[in-house]
Amino acid sequence: MKQVSYISLSVLAVAIVACERSSEADAQLNTHVVAASDSAISFSDTVRKLAEKIDAQLGDQIVVPMPKDAGGGYTHEQHKRNAKTIYEAGKLYEFTGDDRYAKHVEKLLLAYADMYPSLDLHPAKKEQSPGRLFWQNLNESWWLVYTIQGYDSVKETLSADAREKIENDLLREVSKFLSQGSPETFNKIHNHGTWATAAVGMTGYVIGDNDLVEQALLGLDKSGDYGFLKQLDELFSPDGYYNEGPYYQRYALMPFVLFGQAIEQNEPEREIFNYRDGILIKAIYATIQQNYGGLFFPINDAIKDKDIATVELQYGVAIAYDLTGDPGLLAVAKAQGQVVPTKGGKKLADAIARGKAEPFAYTPMRLRDGALGDQGALDILRASTDPNDLTVVAKNTSQGLGHGHFDKLGLLVYDAGHEIIRDYGAARFVNVEAKFGGHYLPENNSFAKQTIAHNALVVDETSHFNGSTNEGNQNAPELGAFFTSDSLQATSAAITTAYDDVELRRTVAMIKDAAFAKPVIVDLVEGLSDSQHQYDLPYYYNGQLVETNFDIEADPTSRRPLGGENGYQHLWHVGESGVVNDIAQITWLLDRKFYSVTSSVPENTKVIVAEIGANDPNFNLRREPAFIFRTQSDEGVSFASVIEPHGEYNPTVEYTVNSHSTVKSVDHYKSDTASVVMIESKAGQKVGLGIGRVNDDTIEHSVMVDGEAFVWTGPYKIFHSQNHFDGGK
Amino acid sequence: MKQVSYISLSVLAVAIVACERSSEADAQLNTHVVAASDSAISFSDTVRKLAEKIDAQLGDQIVVPMPKDAGGGYTHEQHKRNAKTIYEAGKLYEFTGDDRYAKHVEKLLLAYADMYPSLDLHPAKKEQSPGRLFWQNLNESWWLVYTIQGYDSVKETLSADAREKIENDLLREVSKFLSQGSPETFNKIHNHGTWATAAVGMTGYVIGDNDLVEQALLGLDKSGDYGFLKQLDELFSPDGYYNEGPYYQRYALMPFVLFGQAIEQNEPEREIFNYRDGILIKAIYATIQQNYGGLFFPINDAIKDKDIATVELQYGVAIAYDLTGDPGLLAVAKAQGQVVPTKGGKKLADAIARGKAEPFAYTPMRLRDGALGDQGALDILRASTDPNDLTVVAKNTSQGLGHGHFDKLGLLVYDAGHEIIRDYGAARFVNVEAKFGGHYLPENNSFAKQTIAHNALVVDETSHFNGSTNEGNQNAPELGAFFTSDSLQATSAAITTAYDDVELRRTVAMIKDAAFAKPVIVDLVEGLSDSQHQYDLPYYYNGQLVETNFDIEADPTSRRPLGGENGYQHLWHVGESGVVNDIAQITWLLDRKFYSVTSSVPENTKVIVAEIGANDPNFNLRREPAFIFRTQSDEGVSFASVIEPHGEYNPTVEYTVNSHSTVKSVDHYKSDTASVVMIESKAGQKVGLGIGRVNDDTIEHSVMVDGEAFVWTGPYKIFHSQNHFDGGK
């Protein structure tokens, strides 16, 4: 048995030192090209498409308006467009040598140099951190990150006068404003701060101002208490996890990798990519690992269809490949469908064309959360390296700040390219004006963040931490062992602070066993308490309900909301049922496969069938079904479930096989220190999972199962009828 | 202007004569291999996979049980398996020359020859048309179609004794039973009859019994009033359309193409593929044309995920390619992902490997319905030859017998690979035992067949023909003109018999015009009547509701069924609204695109938002949303809508463009003989569609639009603000 508590990336960190370094600034750009549907990636196409876009603008008048509008408004969008153009035209000059592009960049930069010194704070300034070109300081940093790269591309073509004007009146001015002029953001240990330090630091390198570089790296006072290095220390966990989750991780990644690359190129002696045991590369890899079928795990506030083709990760992959030469990254670039038009992007495209791509090593892993790695973890179980194979995400992370959801010990299950047991993600249609201006919808708070919107245990119809983000941020789960072997992957976690007097515990395991045609998932959810409570455990299944081992008393002619608050007001009560012999079995069909959940539930548990969509007069929520186990108990609860993909529904040739679950029963046996979840297949085979309560390899556990002691040492143990019942272990 | 009333396949029919003919029986088989996800098709892989399957059985005992069980039972399934094995092992012998396969076929055939003569009618016989091996005559025909091909493959390896025994005791016996022994099926002009004539005729060729062949071709009395040729005359329309719709068309296709090929190979002088102006090839092409994104149009009873990889169409494509050499068929074979392991399949695979594939010519077309082509039509509009481009299906067909749905003048709209305005298809989970044994569900009758379940006009909450299939079968729509040019495709139809005193009319057109970034669809639905009625026009939109130009009074805390019968009992009343200024505009989001329907509706029209799923205690129905225009009127109604794909929602790079409809208004103007649907864009451009009521190129129409006469000749005319309002036409 091998216990794995963090991903092993030190190999990569070592590899980095020996890797060739790209000799020049490897700037990047966002071409806004939709991912190609096939895997052909041509670098010359990339450049050609970009040239088409920029060529169309070359004849146009330069438009550098006085700042006026807030986010989304005309002057805001125009200044964004200009930064992109400066950057992209600069890149085109680099790759084509065509002087027209350099001239265009020069014209834009001179126009900004004319205007910038006269600018006061933006008239529509956001209270806390205004910019001068933009209402928000963050946008100004973003603008400079793009602009400084464009300047770098063309500066060799400029006259000394032009350089002086641009550097003094524009680049230094903006840098000073973003650093000394905005200390509250610049010194912040937050991704807004990283945008600022990256912008200022990159500018420092390009214009040869070491003072700016030092401030960017070490904070305004150069003490090292703030600045980029401190941000690297604190914003990622030791495993490269970003605590708001993957949706914000890929966004936060951008300034980190860009500035990281600039440091490497200008001061290789800093070995920035070895900093903190290779944290930058770990962060890129952790971002990639947090996707299924190309889509990021949608935990916390997340747009569910955000995919790995996002430009931030295109940069990340190009930079990481340049450093590591890992051929698995080429498979990621292929899946992204395009590369950034930079030297790094060219290197990717060329290597792909030479057939060097190998499958990316999607791997079961524990990504610890928190700067010190002690704030819970995101645990990922994977049946194989195939990105579309059975995958489980156990959300044992910390709250994740303001974008966090209240699903402590939440669960997501994927199979065959689909979400099988779903997370709602954020209630938001990004940039869709008709949907609340594209902002987070009111239903994001009233539903999507609430515990009942997730596959997580709810006590007394209230959300974890009573829905208080502050309280959530102060209380992370306590992790149990994370274990992985060929036949078993397992993780456990517990939290005592989500409710006043109920401890939540969950163990999720993936078992590959001859008793089942395919791997199955064991999901043991416990609420430990001595007082009277109601427990709701929802599973947001994805598909068409096919079979239950109980009769659902549906409400065929009326519907009512399941409750009044904490998200319950958004669920329709569709039907409910008692459970026969405390075993509930529910089967659904999705695409061409069947999925069953077979659960041992407490006595008098009801199954409620629910559907999202009540109290949603603006049609802001997706209609998605769930079943919810509901139990009243004064001695706590345990729900022991097997989640099982099975069979095939093939409409092409019209056959269906194994549409019924192969699980006959599930039982949960307990001792003071451990549990055994015993599964019996319909073919009569028994497979048991022993779960020790504490993460200790040396503790021996004994659990009585039908009068027989099951004994093992350590956190997890698989028992089989063919050995255990022969007396073996 | 070019008016197109049928597909022009005579070119193909001519081409056939000159085509090379394959020299041997080109038998086929169903490998039950799931379609490969990439387009690589290797014939040696096809043979290898088949060999793996059959090799695993070679050592097994032959199992030929006494017939006992009904469909789905053990003996039923075993006899099906045996026929498949006879056929597949025969094919393997042909392709590998390995004697083990021939021996296995011989053993099975001898075992059947031992048993068959002693068999009486099947003990679980279906009343009307029992078999002897199977409960149903149809299964027996199917069995013989496979078995005779297997016998043909290996007969050269058999001793004279074995051949005599197999031919006399088995093949002749089964043939006699299926022909003289089952005249009611054999002489039936129905696809069951085609299976019987194909089985008997193919057997006649293989065992050299011309009498069987003649009976198969011309009927038991050889008069030509029955039999395969008559079936060819009557079961397809002159355009190759099969009147139950594409789902059953691809099933019915199988015996036609197999027997057709056998006739061609044995009696080429019959020129069977030229018969009835090339009807067999037309039927294959019509089957292909009736798909979108690989899935057959789900009109009538249809499993919605039935795709073109279905084995029947694999045969069809192989046979059609062998005859025509049409490189577009190679693209279809690539989309199917595999080929049948026959000489025809090999020819496909080899040609694909040589890079000969070209895009299949998906084309707007009218597929007339009925043996004489006078029973309505399925009208298909396509924005381009791209199978995933904007496509409209106007269901102006006849009822389609027992599997027909009551949606006269129904509508389906597809775009970007998705159904945008959906047809429910059948309420059935084929072969899923827990779902009513895999049969059509009760909800198929109570919902899926009813008019309100479709995008079709409903009068007084009753279905067309009062839900009587008999009445439906006797009354087809009257067709208006079908027109296609670069900028306009249009079709019209009317029916006076769906309701006692309401005539239904619908014109659907696709317009490509500079006023719109992409093609738009005009949908004019009229109910003509002098008496008081309620009219409901549903649109089953697919996606997330984003924007409406009216406030929906949703029922946030309760739901009730929309009605009590005729399918209404299965719809939830979700909300409703009045319409401002008689213009309703509804926008939804699907995947990465927006879709708007902008409709000019009668005064006092309500918009009802509905969702499938009421009175569905067994969760048999899919939850899908609709909006329904509801109007009470004593002078008929007209709903003139523009259906408009627009914009892009790109979560990868987080931008959204053109999320709002570009249509400002739609107006409907009428004269006694014609209509003008006038669209005004938000940019102020006007585009009008003139629609003449009768299908006559010579009639002049004049419609007053805001005091100005719009005049044109013929069924359709596009007017533009830039010419019309300058006085031009």
Side-chain angles (χ1 to χ4, degrees):
Chain A
M1 280 202 177
K2 183 184 65 152
Q3 193 165 332
V4 178
S5 63
Y6 55 90
I7 52 169
S8 168
L9 276 165
S10 50
V11 181
L12 287 169
V14 171
I16 290 160
V17 184
C19 278
E20 81 174 86
R21 289 186 182 106
S22 66
S23 53
E24 284 186 54
D26 205 359
Q28 297 83 8
L29 83 164
N30 177 352
T31 54
H32 279 210
V33 174
V34 175
S37 61
D38 65 5
S39 56
I41 291 175
S42 147
F43 190 73
S44 56
D45 273 3
T46 305
V47 173
R48 184 183 48 73
K49 278 182 201 157
L50 192 61
E52 279 170 16
K53 177 183 166 188
I54 299 299
D55 288 355
Q57 299 173 29
L58 288 181
D60 297 350
Q61 184 80 30
I62 297 290
V63 180
V64 178
M66 280 301 287
K68 173 171 164 288
D69 302 323
Y74 167 70
T75 66
H76 180 97
E77 293 300 321
Q78 182 61 29
H79 291 307
K80 277 171 67 182
R81 256 193 300 274
N82 284 342
K84 272 282 175 58
T85 299
I86 289 167
Y87 172 61
E88 293 174 347
K91 277 287 116 188
L92 277 172
Y93 171 71
E94 265 189 54
F95 280 99
T96 67
D98 185 334
D99 221 39
R100 294 175 306 148
Y101 299 122
K103 283 283 164 225
H104 195 66
V105 174
E106 181 180 1
K107 275 199 282 182
L108 277 162
L109 290 170
L110 287 171
Y112 273 104
D114 278 342
M115 180 176 73
Y116 200 84
S118 71
L119 296 180
D120 208 337
L121 289 184
H122 192 278
K125 65 187 177 191
K126 273 203 159 180
E127 266 176 48
Q128 291 178 324
S129 47
R132 286 161 72 180
L133 288 169
F134 297 93
W135 68 332
Q136 233 191 324
N137 188 294
L138 174 64
N139 301 117
E140 201 109 338
S141 299
W142 180 96
W143 184 93
L144 183 55
V145 165
Y146 277 90
T147 296
I148 191 59
Q149 293 178 83
Y151 175 69
D152 190 34
S153 297
V154 306
K155 69 175 177 182
E156 64 176 25
T157 71
L158 303 178
S159 67
D161 281 357
R163 283 168 77 145
E164 196 184 320
K165 180 175 169 71
I166 292 166
E167 292 191 8
N168 287 342
D169 292 355
L170 180 63
L171 302 174
R172 252 180 251 281
E173 279 284 318
V174 186
S175 296
K176 268 191 281 176
F177 170 69
L178 289 174
S179 53
Q180 294 151 24
S182 314
E184 71 295 335
T185 300
F186 193 77
N187 274 346
K188 206 173 190 174
I189 308 303
H190 181 280
N191 82 74
H192 290 196
T194 309
W195 278 101
T197 57
V200 170
M202 290 165 75
T203 303
Y205 283 129
V206 172
I207 68 177
D209 184 334
N210 196 48
D211 197 48
L212 289 178
V213 172
E214 295 265 302
Q215 286 180 31
L217 288 169
L218 302 168
L220 284 175
D221 63 1
K222 303 183 186 170
S223 68
D225 292 340
Y226 310 101
F228 187 72
L229 296 179
K230 196 70 179 175
Q231 289 159 351
L232 277 177
D233 288 341
E234 299 201 355
L235 288 180
F236 293 103
S237 84
D239 298 331
Y241 179 77
Y242 183 78
N243 80 342
E244 293 181 291
Y247 178 75
Y248 281 93
Q249 170 144 8
R250 59 83 220 166
Y251 179 69
L253 198 62
M254 181 104 148
F256 278 109
V257 296
L258 291 180
F259 191 24
Q261 192 177 44
I263 297 166
E264 179 72 6
Q265 283 153 359
N266 288 278
E267 299 186 79
E269 63 279 12
R270 284 194 183 271
E271 296 190 10
I272 191 70
F273 285 104
N274 273 343
Y275 187 80
R276 205 185 160 204
D277 206 16
I279 192 66
L280 277 169
I281 295 290
K282 284 182 183 176
I284 296 170
Y285 272 84
T287 308
I288 298 170
Q289 291 284 358
Q290 291 178 83
N291 90 78
Y292 182 84
L295 300 178
F296 291 114
F297 301 148
I299 58 167
N300 294 333
D301 280 346
I303 303 303
K304 289 194 76 169
D305 28 19
K306 174 63 84 177
D307 62 40
I308 57 171
T310 183
V311 70
E312 296 90 349
L313 194 55
Q314 288 181 40
Y315 294 162
V317 168
I319 290 171
Y321 182 71
D322 192 38
L323 288 163
T324 68
D326 173 3
L329 293 171
L330 301 175
V332 177
K334 281 175 76 173
Q336 290 175 327
Q338 58 178 346
V339 294
V340 283
T342 65
K343 293 203 175 56
K346 186 167 190 311
K347 205 164 170 179
L348 283 173
D350 291 349
I352 290 168
R354 290 201 309 275
K356 290 195 147 192
E358 289 178 17
F360 183 80
Y362 288 102
T363 310
M365 57 175 58
R366 163 162 284 180
L367 291 170
R368 288 171 298 165
D369 193 358
L372 301 174
D374 59 358
Q375 298 292 303
L378 191 77
D379 292 327
I380 306 169
L381 314 182
R382 291 198 187 255
S384 73
T385 55
D386 176 353
N388 286 318
D389 205 347
L390 181 66
T391 297
V392 179
V393 178
K395 194 197 175 213
N396 299 328
T397 62
S398 70
Q399 181 67 22
L401 310 178
H403 290 297
H405 287 195
F406 296 100
D407 57 330
K408 295 292 105 182
L409 321 188
L411 179 76
L412 292 79
V413 180
Y414 296 91
D415 187 51
H418 298 289
E419 254 189 308
I420 300 309
I421 296 180
R422 295 192 270 203
D423 192 280
Y424 191 86
R428 180 183 186 188
F429 296 88
V430 66
N431 293 331
V432 179
E433 194 178 283
K435 288 295 192 191
F436 205 61
H439 303 293
Y440 287 102
L441 292 158
E443 289 79 7
N444 193 54
N445 283 324
S446 63
F447 180 70
K449 283 191 169 184
Q450 302 296 325
T451 309
I452 192 62
H454 301 82
N455 309 299
L457 190 63
V458 186
V459 178
D460 298 332
E461 301 188 26
T462 60
S463 286
H464 297 165
F465 309 113
N466 225 340
S468 158
T469 300
N470 280 344
E471 209 178 309
N473 282 330
Q474 290 161 34
N475 294 284
E478 188 184 325
L479 297 177
F482 183 81
F483 174 82
T484 171
S485 71
D486 284 347
S487 57
L488 175 66
Q489 299 171 29
T491 178
S492 297
I495 186 158
T496 58
T497 50
Y499 293 105
D500 281 348
D501 66 347
V502 181
E503 177 182 351
L504 309 180
R505 304 188 67 89
R506 191 168 203 158
T507 294
V508 185
M510 191 185 291
I511 296 176
K512 296 183 194 177
D513 192 278
F516 305 101
K518 300 194 173 163
V520 297
I521 297 157
V522 170
D523 180 25
L524 175 62
V525 179
E526 294 172 285
L528 310 182
S529 179
D530 293 330
S531 37
Q532 173 70 37
H533 293 288
Q534 174 182 292
Y535 298 87
D536 285 344
L537 178 62
Y539 287 93
Y540 284 85
Y541 71 94
N542 181 10
Q544 178 83 30
L545 200 63
V546 164
E547 191 171 18
T548 55
N549 73 337
F550 45 82
D551 288 329
I552 300 172
E553 293 146 38
D555 304 334
T557 59
S558 69
R559 280 193 173 177
R560 58 181 164 83
L562 186 56
E565 55 185 359
N566 302 325
Y568 282 78
Q569 72 276 27
H570 291 296
L571 288 170
W572 291 113
H573 181 278
V574 173
E576 66 178 59
S577 172
V579 173
V580 183
N581 294 327
D582 301 337
I583 289 283
Q585 189 166 67
I586 295 153
T587 301
W588 67 93
L589 171 64
L590 179 69
D591 196 3
R592 297 189 168 203
K593 281 180 87 170
F594 296 90
Y595 299 90
S596 289
V597 174
T598 308
S599 305
S600 165
V601 298
E603 258 191 289
N604 298 319
T605 292
K606 285 195 299 193
V607 185
I608 296 170
V609 183
E611 193 181 294
I612 300 168
N615 279 294
D616 182 26
N618 296 317
F619 299 86
N620 284 342
L621 294 170
R622 298 188 304 273
R623 276 62 182 135
E624 296 181 349
F627 57 86
I628 303 172
F629 296 132
R630 172 168 288 184
T631 310
Q632 319 283 342
S633 169
D634 57 7
E635 52 179 8
V637 288
S638 75
F639 303 91
S641 302
V642 173
I643 303 166
E644 173 202 13
H646 57 90
E648 185 186 352
Y649 172 74
N650 190 321
T652 305
V653 290
E654 298 204 355
Y655 71 79
T656 299
V657 292
N658 300 329
S659 64
H660 301 292
S661 169
T662 59
V663 174
K664 183 181 167 195
S665 66
V666 179
D667 284 291
H668 179 208
Y669 303 91
K670 270 174 146 175
S671 74
D672 287 347
T673 68
S675 289
V676 168
V677 175
M678 181 61 66
I679 315 165
E680 184 173 358
S681 75
K682 285 178 180 164
Q685 288 190 281
K686 288 189 178 182
V687 178
L689 173 64
I691 303 165
R693 283 260 170 116
V694 289
N695 183 1
D696 188 324
D697 280 345
T698 65
I699 293 184
E700 185 178 271
H701 303 284
S702 176
V703 176
M704 292 302 290
V705 175
D706 285 339
E708 190 177 2
F710 280 49
V711 181
W712 75 96
T713 301
Y716 305 113
K717 173 71 180 174
I718 290 285
F719 299 92
H720 305 266
S721 50
Q722 62 269 30
N723 54 17
H724 175 79
F725 297 102
D726 294 345
K729 269 200 284 197
Chain B
M1 278 201 175
K2 184 183 64 154
Q3 192 164 335
V4 177
S5 62
Y6 56 88
I7 51 169
S8 170
L9 277 164
S10 50
V11 182
L12 287 169
V14 171
I16 291 160
V17 184
C19 278
E20 81 173 87
R21 290 186 181 105
S22 66
S23 54
E24 283 186 53
D26 205 359
Q28 297 81 8
L29 84 164
N30 177 352
T31 55
H32 279 210
V33 174
V34 176
S37 61
D38 65 7
S39 57
I41 291 175
S42 147
F43 191 74
S44 56
D45 272 4
T46 305
V47 173
R48 185 183 48 72
K49 277 181 200 157
L50 192 62
E52 278 170 15
K53 176 183 167 189
I54 298 298
D55 289 355
Q57 299 172 29
L58 288 181
D60 296 351
Q61 185 79 33
I62 295 290
V63 180
V64 177
M66 280 302 286
K68 174 171 161 289
D69 301 323
Y74 166 69
T75 67
H76 180 96
E77 292 299 322
Q78 183 61 28
H79 291 307
K80 277 170 66 180
R81 256 193 300 276
N82 284 342
K84 271 281 177 57
T85 300
I86 289 168
Y87 173 62
E88 292 175 347
K91 278 287 116 186
L92 279 172
Y93 171 71
E94 265 188 54
F95 280 98
T96 66
D98 187 335
D99 221 39
R100 295 175 308 150
Y101 299 122
K103 283 282 166 224
H104 195 66
V105 174
E106 181 180 0
K107 276 200 283 184
L108 277 162
L109 290 170
L110 287 171
Y112 274 103
D114 279 342
M115 181 176 73
Y116 200 84
S118 71
L119 297 180
D120 208 338
L121 289 184
H122 192 280
K125 64 186 176 193
K126 273 202 160 179
E127 266 175 48
Q128 293 176 323
S129 47
R132 286 161 72 178
L133 287 169
F134 296 93
W135 67 333
Q136 232 191 324
N137 187 293
L138 174 64
N139 302 117
E140 203 110 337
S141 299
W142 181 95
W143 184 92
L144 184 56
V145 164
Y146 277 90
T147 296
I148 191 60
Q149 294 179 82
Y151 175 69
D152 190 34
S153 297
V154 306
K155 69 175 179 182
E156 63 175 28
T157 71
L158 302 178
S159 68
D161 282 357
R163 285 169 74 146
E164 195 183 320
K165 182 178 167 73
I166 292 166
E167 292 191 7
N168 288 341
D169 292 356
L170 180 62
L171 301 175
R172 253 179 248 282
E173 280 283 319
V174 185
S175 295
K176 268 192 282 177
F177 170 71
L178 289 174
S179 53
Q180 293 151 25
S182 315
E184 71 296 333
T185 300
F186 192 76
N187 274 346
K188 206 173 189 174
I189 308 302
H190 182 279
N191 84 72
H192 290 197
T194 309
W195 278 100
T197 57
V200 170
M202 291 166 77
T203 304
Y205 284 128
V206 172
I207 67 176
D209 184 334
N210 196 48
D211 197 49
L212 289 178
V213 172
E214 295 266 300
Q215 286 180 34
L217 288 170
L218 302 169
L220 285 176
D221 63 0
K222 304 182 186 170
S223 67
D225 291 341
Y226 311 101
F228 187 72
L229 297 179
K230 197 69 181 175
Q231 289 158 351
L232 277 176
D233 288 339
E234 300 202 353
L235 288 179
F236 292 102
S237 83
D239 299 332
Y241 179 77
Y242 183 78
N243 81 339
E244 292 182 292
Y247 178 75
Y248 279 92
Q249 169 144 7
R250 58 82 221 167
Y251 179 70
L253 198 62
M254 181 103 149
F256 277 107
V257 296
L258 291 180
F259 190 24
Q261 193 177 44
I263 297 166
E264 180 72 5
Q265 283 151 0
N266 287 278
E267 299 186 81
E269 62 279 12
R270 284 194 183 270
E271 296 190 8
I272 190 70
F273 283 104
N274 273 342
Y275 187 80
R276 206 186 160 204
D277 206 17
I279 192 67
L280 277 170
I281 295 290
K282 284 182 183 176
I284 295 169
Y285 272 83
T287 308
I288 297 169
Q289 291 283 359
Q290 290 177 82
N291 90 77
Y292 183 83
L295 300 178
F296 290 114
F297 301 149
I299 58 166
N300 294 333
D301 280 347
I303 302 304
K304 289 195 74 168
D305 29 19
K306 173 64 82 178
D307 63 41
I308 57 170
T310 183
V311 71
E312 297 90 349
L313 194 55
Q314 289 182 39
Y315 294 162
V317 169
I319 290 170
Y321 182 71
D322 192 36
L323 288 164
T324 67
D326 173 2
L329 294 171
L330 301 175
V332 178
K334 281 175 76 174
Q336 289 176 327
Q338 57 178 346
V339 294
V340 283
T342 65
K343 292 199 175 58
K346 186 166 189 315
K347 204 164 169 178
L348 284 174
D350 291 349
I352 291 168
R354 290 201 309 276
K356 291 196 147 191
E358 290 178 17
F360 182 80
Y362 288 102
T363 310
M365 58 176 58
R366 164 162 282 180
L367 292 170
R368 288 171 297 164
D369 193 359
L372 301 174
D374 59 358
Q375 299 291 301
L378 191 77
D379 292 326
I380 307 169
L381 314 182
R382 291 195 187 257
S384 73
T385 55
D386 176 353
N388 287 318
D389 205 347
L390 181 66
T391 297
V392 178
V393 178
K395 192 195 176 215
N396 300 327
T397 62
S398 71
Q399 180 66 24
L401 309 179
H403 290 298
H405 287 194
F406 295 99
D407 56 331
K408 295 294 102 180
L409 321 188
L411 180 75
L412 292 78
V413 180
Y414 296 89
D415 187 52
H418 299 289
E419 255 188 308
I420 300 310
I421 296 182
R422 297 193 270 203
D423 191 281
Y424 192 86
R428 181 183 187 188
F429 298 88
V430 67
N431 293 330
V432 178
E433 195 178 280
K435 287 295 193 192
F436 205 61
H439 302 293
Y440 286 103
L441 292 158
E443 290 79 7
N444 194 54
N445 282 323
S446 64
F447 181 70
K449 283 192 170 184
Q450 302 297 325
T451 309
I452 192 62
H454 301 84
N455 309 299
L457 189 63
V458 186
V459 178
D460 297 333
E461 300 189 27
T462 59
S463 286
H464 298 166
F465 310 113
N466 224 341
S468 159
T469 301
N470 280 343
E471 211 179 306
N473 282 329
Q474 289 160 33
N475 295 286
E478 188 185 326
L479 296 178
F482 183 81
F483 175 82
T484 171
S485 72
D486 284 349
S487 58
L488 174 67
Q489 299 171 28
T491 177
S492 297
I495 187 160
T496 59
T497 50
Y499 293 105
D500 281 347
D501 67 347
V502 181
E503 176 182 351
L504 310 180
R505 303 188 67 89
R506 190 168 205 159
T507 294
V508 185
M510 190 186 290
I511 296 176
K512 296 183 194 175
D513 192 279
F516 305 101
K518 301 194 173 163
V520 297
I521 297 158
V522 170
D523 180 25
L524 175 62
V525 179
E526 294 172 284
L528 309 182
S529 178
D530 293 330
S531 38
Q532 172 71 37
H533 294 288
Q534 174 183 292
Y535 299 86
D536 284 346
L537 178 62
Y539 287 92
Y540 284 86
Y541 70 96
N542 181 11
Q544 179 83 28
L545 201 62
V546 164
E547 190 171 20
T548 55
N549 73 336
F550 45 82
D551 287 331
I552 301 172
E553 293 145 37
D555 304 334
T557 60
S558 69
R559 281 193 174 177
R560 58 182 163 84
L562 186 56
E565 54 185 359
N566 303 326
Y568 283 77
Q569 72 275 28
H570 292 296
L571 288 170
W572 291 115
H573 181 279
V574 172
E576 65 178 58
S577 173
V579 173
V580 183
N581 295 329
D582 301 337
I583 290 281
Q585 188 166 66
I586 294 153
T587 301
W588 67 94
L589 171 64
L590 179 68
D591 195 4
R592 297 188 168 204
K593 281 179 86 170
F594 296 89
Y595 299 91
S596 289
V597 174
T598 309
S599 305
S600 164
V601 299
E603 258 193 288
N604 298 318
T605 292
K606 285 195 300 194
V607 185
I608 297 171
V609 183
E611 192 180 296
I612 301 168
N615 278 295
D616 182 26
N618 297 317
F619 299 84
N620 284 342
L621 294 171
R622 299 189 305 271
R623 276 63 180 133
E624 296 180 348
F627 56 87
I628 302 172
F629 296 132
R630 172 169 287 184
T631 311
Q632 319 283 342
S633 170
D634 57 8
E635 53 180 8
V637 287
S638 73
F639 302 92
S641 301
V642 174
I643 304 166
E644 174 202 10
H646 57 90
E648 186 186 351
Y649 173 75
N650 190 323
T652 305
V653 289
E654 297 202 357
Y655 70 81
T656 298
V657 292
N658 300 330
S659 64
H660 301 292
S661 169
T662 59
V663 174
K664 182 179 167 197
S665 66
V666 179
D667 284 290
H668 179 207
Y669 303 90
K670 267 174 149 178
S671 73
D672 287 346
T673 67
S675 289
V676 169
V677 175
M678 181 62 65
I679 314 166
E680 184 174 356
S681 75
K682 286 178 180 163
Q685 288 191 280
K686 288 189 178 182
V687 178
L689 174 64
I691 304 166
R693 282 257 172 118
V694 289
N695 183 0
D696 188 324
D697 281 345
T698 65
I699 294 184
E700 186 179 272
H701 303 283
S702 175
V703 176
M704 292 302 290
V705 175
D706 284 339
E708 189 178 4
F710 280 50
V711 180
W712 75 97
T713 301
Y716 305 113
K717 173 71 180 175
I718 292 285
F719 298 91
H720 305 266
S721 51
Q722 62 268 33
N723 53 18
H724 176 76
F725 298 102
D726 294 345
K729 267 200 281 195

